[in-house]
Amino acid sequence: MDAVTINQLFLTGAVLIALSVLFSQVSSRIGVPILVIFLFVGMLAGEDGPGGIAFDDYSLTYLVSNLALAVILLDGGMRTKVASFKVAFWPSLSLATVGVALTATLTGLMAAWLFDLTLMQGILVGAIVGSTDAAAVFSLLKGQSLNERVGSTLEIESGTNDPMAVFLTVTLIALLGNPNADMGASFLLKSFLMQFGVGTVVGFAGGWLLWSLVNRVQLADGLYSILVLSGGVALFAFSGMLGGSGILSIYLVGLFIGNRPTRGRHAILNVLDGMTWLSQIVMFLVLGLLVTPSTLMEIALPALILAFGMILFARPLSVWIGLLPFRAFTTKERWFVSWVGLRGAVPIILAVFPMMAGLENAQLYFNIAFFVVMVSLIVQGGSLMKVAGLAQVTLPPKPTPVYRTGVEIFPASEWEMFVYKLKPEKWCVGEPLRKLSMPEGTRITALFRDDKLLHPSGSTVLEAYDTLCVLGQDQDLDSLSALFSEAPESEEAVRFFGDFFLDVTQSVANVSEYYGIELDTEENGKMSLKELVDQELGMYPVLGDSFEWHDITWVVADIDDHEVVKLGLCLPKSEEAQEGH
């Protein structure tokens, strides 16, 4: 490869990445997920587009996509709170195993009929498109205010369900490539346990070793992120070499490191954020280059039927069966989880497997997978937040600082600097600092007014548009943001958690007497509000859960360590207010 060719390659790659970044602004305006934009740029640059680039290197695509997926899962794992596993682990595990198998089977039956394939070939197509995609889910859910049960279930499911899809795909390819191979139940069970068992052990053990190394070595600040990234990818590859699931391993590595006091944690996350965006862009660009849009038109109608069959039938049925044991999920939450069965890069990567194995109909499998992914991203991804609103699984946006950064006071420091800009309507405007009821252990370290640094003291009176720099920890964030950040504007957001807030230690009898609620039995009156919540919502209620009791709506308004501490009481709107609407 000469210097001219290398420069052309660099120029083409850089221009495509830059275009993807610039076109990403169009995403929010037209309501199309940003990943579709990256795919679209790749398709425009391909042989059927104005770019005219002929690209058909499946091996390179497989290499690039796996590396990109590893980075995305490492970042996703680091940003997943381990506390959410208490609420969502078992539902997620059920969806990641039983749900994927059912989706693959049902989709496979439809594919066999629509494309005149054998049953096993059809189920291979179902296995390829059977799992939700971590890149798509993490990208579209990032920053969205979903209730914890739903949001955590979707994130954990997408991070852990790929091993099942890989297992099914590899097994079916082996059967189709060698029908005489010994694939008995014992072999399949052993292979399945190997994938999950080795993947889990390497993930947690490797995560602990990498975390220990990061906290013990003294490096330049910029090198910790490189150490975590290279270590995570090494464990991803090592797990695969042992016969385990590298995808599961690297997600668990990120989960372990992200939930422990880690040296340079904020710097690591900042670098990973940029690397994740780059990985998504490169991965979807390459996948867009690989496809030939003109060949998709030949299968457009049956592929469209298959895509909507999976979205409207296979995925919902699988989710309802997978979540059957978990009564905490409401009907609307089940429908929403069903809708967020986003397909993305993983199905296209899995569709490369038959191409590399030289299977009959391999190109057809790839085209079907690509078409299904496009439909899923546009239809499901484009309507995600509208459906979330209809399903009532969203929470009012939490007040947040305008900026936050880690403060490396000592190795593995968990101190952070939160920056707030005061709005005129905040109650603390006009009050001296000594009257603020701040969380214990937090300090205002600096105050800026009209771009000038002041030296705050207890007598300093706060003014509108002051900028405060507050030293604290993640556990203080909610209290500090409620104190200094902009409050929700709409009346609906203000009333979301109720008109009055009650401590759950109060007895039902006292509350009933005050609000004129007639109790059915004397036993009901002896209950505390906490017991009422347990009775109505069961185990692990989450913020925003609600129930109707005696024609009054009760909302979980505050939670501490997955235990309800405050209950909101929503009074019915007055007739005048209702008429005004």
Side-chain angles (χ1 to χ4, degrees):
M1 189 180 289
D2 57 24
V4 175
T5 305
I6 292 174
N7 286 330
Q8 288 177 341
L9 184 63
F10 285 172
L11 177 62
T12 302
V15 168
L16 287 177
I17 290 173
L19 285 174
S20 298
V21 172
L22 295 174
F23 283 163
S24 66
Q25 292 185 321
V26 181
S27 163
S28 58
R29 294 177 187 173
I30 63 178
V32 173
I34 193 169
L35 303 182
V36 176
I37 301 296
F38 301 154
L39 268 178
F40 184 66
V41 172
M43 292 168 70
L44 287 178
E47 58 181 313
D48 276 0
I53 299 173
F55 179 79
D56 61 355
D57 193 332
Y58 290 95
S59 297
L60 180 60
T61 301
Y62 179 75
L63 175 66
V64 169
S65 299
N66 269 280
L67 181 59
L69 187 61
V71 174
I72 292 166
L73 284 166
L74 178 65
D75 179 69
M78 285 198 67
R79 297 177 194 276
T80 301
K81 298 291 186 184
V82 75
S84 64
F85 276 69
K86 192 171 184 180
V87 172
F89 175 73
W90 291 112
S92 301
L93 183 64
S94 178
L95 293 177
T97 51
V98 176
V100 171
L102 283 171
T103 302
T105 302
L106 295 170
T107 305
L109 292 173
M110 289 187 289
W113 175 67
L114 288 166
F115 295 96
D116 195 23
L117 301 172
T118 67
L119 180 60
M120 195 166 294
Q121 289 173 333
I123 294 178
L124 173 59
V125 172
I128 288 171
V129 299
S131 67
T132 57
D133 183 68
V137 172
F138 290 154
S139 173
L140 290 173
L141 294 187
K142 188 180 289 186
Q144 304 297 346
S145 299
L146 301 180
N147 79 47
E148 185 182 6
R149 182 186 302 108
V150 170
S152 297
T153 298
L154 290 169
E155 288 187 359
I156 297 170
E157 179 208 3
S158 68
T160 57
N161 69 0
D162 294 333
M164 184 59 148
V166 173
F167 166 75
L168 291 173
T169 302
V170 170
T171 301
L172 288 164
I173 288 174
L175 282 170
L176 288 168
N178 184 10
N180 297 321
D182 181 16
M183 293 282 182
S186 60
F187 173 83
L188 295 177
L189 180 62
K190 181 180 178 181
S191 177
F192 177 80
L193 293 176
M194 176 73 75
Q195 282 271 321
F196 279 84
V198 172
T200 301
V201 171
V202 172
F204 281 124
W208 179 83
L209 287 172
L210 185 57
W211 171 76
S212 301
L213 184 62
V214 168
N215 281 350
R216 289 182 182 179
V217 297
Q218 188 71 40
L219 301 171
D221 291 342
L223 293 178
Y224 289 108
S225 54
I226 297 176
L227 178 60
V228 169
L229 187 57
S230 60
V233 173
L235 291 166
F236 170 83
F238 181 64
S239 178
M241 291 170 62
L242 295 179
S245 170
I247 292 173
L248 179 60
S249 292
I250 197 166
Y251 177 75
L252 295 178
V253 168
L255 184 72
F256 189 93
I257 295 175
N259 286 274
R260 306 279 292 183
T262 304
R263 187 196 296 260
R265 181 174 180 272
H266 285 273
I268 293 170
L269 285 172
N270 287 337
V271 171
L272 277 181
D273 187 49
M275 290 298 297
T276 297
W277 277 113
L278 180 61
S279 298
Q280 288 178 344
I281 292 171
V282 171
M283 178 168 59
F284 280 90
L285 272 177
V286 170
L287 294 173
L289 280 170
L290 190 62
V291 74
T292 305
S294 58
T295 63
L296 296 180
M297 299 310 296
E298 302 170 5
I299 62 161
L301 182 58
L304 193 64
I305 295 172
L306 180 67
F308 276 98
M310 186 185 67
I311 292 171
L312 301 175
F313 171 67
R315 167 71 177 179
L317 184 58
S318 302
V319 166
W320 280 74
I321 293 174
L323 294 181
L324 206 56
F326 309 102
R327 75 178 187 91
F329 286 83
T330 66
T331 300
K332 290 183 177 181
E333 288 174 344
R334 292 170 198 264
W335 280 119
F336 181 73
V337 172
S338 301
W339 189 253
V340 191
L342 291 163
R343 270 59 190 171
V346 171
I348 304 177
I349 296 171
L350 292 181
V352 173
F353 285 24
M355 304 286 289
M356 298 174 67
L359 285 188
E360 182 185 2
N361 295 319
Q363 185 64 55
L364 175 63
Y365 303 152
F366 183 86
N367 289 343
I368 293 172
F370 194 92
F371 201 98
V372 168
V373 166
M374 286 289 291
V375 172
S376 175
L377 287 176
I378 293 172
V379 174
Q380 293 172 285
S383 61
L384 181 70
M385 293 319 296
K386 290 181 182 177
V387 175
L390 292 173
Q392 298 178 331
V393 297
T394 57
L395 300 176
K398 295 174 67 172
T400 57
V402 296
Y403 180 75
R404 62 186 289 188
T405 185
V407 180
E408 298 293 330
I409 300 171
F410 52 83
S413 168
E414 295 188 62
W415 291 97
E416 296 183 62
M417 186 69 71
F418 304 112
V419 180
Y420 298 95
K421 189 154 190 170
L422 298 181
K423 297 293 184 180
E425 63 269 15
K426 294 302 293 183
W427 72 268
C428 54
V429 171
E431 296 290 335
L433 291 180
R434 61 171 173 267
K435 288 193 176 182
L436 299 182
S437 180
M438 293 177 58
E440 186 176 354
T442 61
R443 295 288 185 275
I444 295 176
T445 57
L447 189 153
F448 291 86
R449 183 173 295 162
D450 299 325
D451 299 328
K452 294 180 181 178
L453 176 64
L454 305 182
H455 298 284
S457 63
S459 60
T460 302
V461 176
L462 293 173
E463 295 183 8
Y465 306 110
D466 280 355
T467 299
L468 298 175
C469 299
V470 185
L471 187 67
Q473 297 186 2
D474 187 70
Q475 64 196 26
D476 307 314
L477 182 59
D478 287 346
S479 298
L480 289 172
S481 294
L483 187 61
F484 298 123
S485 286
E486 186 175 2
E489 295 180 359
S490 67
E491 181 187 349
E492 288 77 12
V494 173
R495 293 186 80 248
F496 182 88
F497 292 109
D499 300 284
F500 301 99
F501 301 100
L502 307 169
D503 193 293
V504 294
T505 57
Q506 293 190 51
S507 71
V508 169
N510 289 341
V511 175
S512 301
E513 182 180 353
Y514 187 83
Y515 290 102
I517 301 172
E518 294 184 9
L519 300 179
D520 297 332
T521 65
E522 187 178 340
E523 291 183 4
N524 281 342
K526 295 178 180 178
M527 283 196 304
S528 66
L529 290 179
K530 175 66 172 65
E531 290 170 327
L532 177 63
V533 171
D534 293 341
Q535 172 186 295
E536 298 293 326
L537 297 177
M539 293 180 62
Y540 305 130
V542 297
L543 196 67
D545 272 353
S546 63
F547 59 92
E548 295 287 331
W549 190 70
H550 284 274
D551 298 324
I552 292 178
T553 302
W554 306 76
V555 183
V556 175
D558 193 13
I559 281 188
D560 183 20
D561 192 25
H562 296 286
E563 292 290 334
V564 179
V565 293
K566 281 187 181 178
L567 203 58
L569 186 150
C570 296
L571 296 179
K573 291 183 179 180
S574 65
E575 292 183 6
E576 291 79 10
Q578 291 180 9
E579 290 173 0
H581 282 73

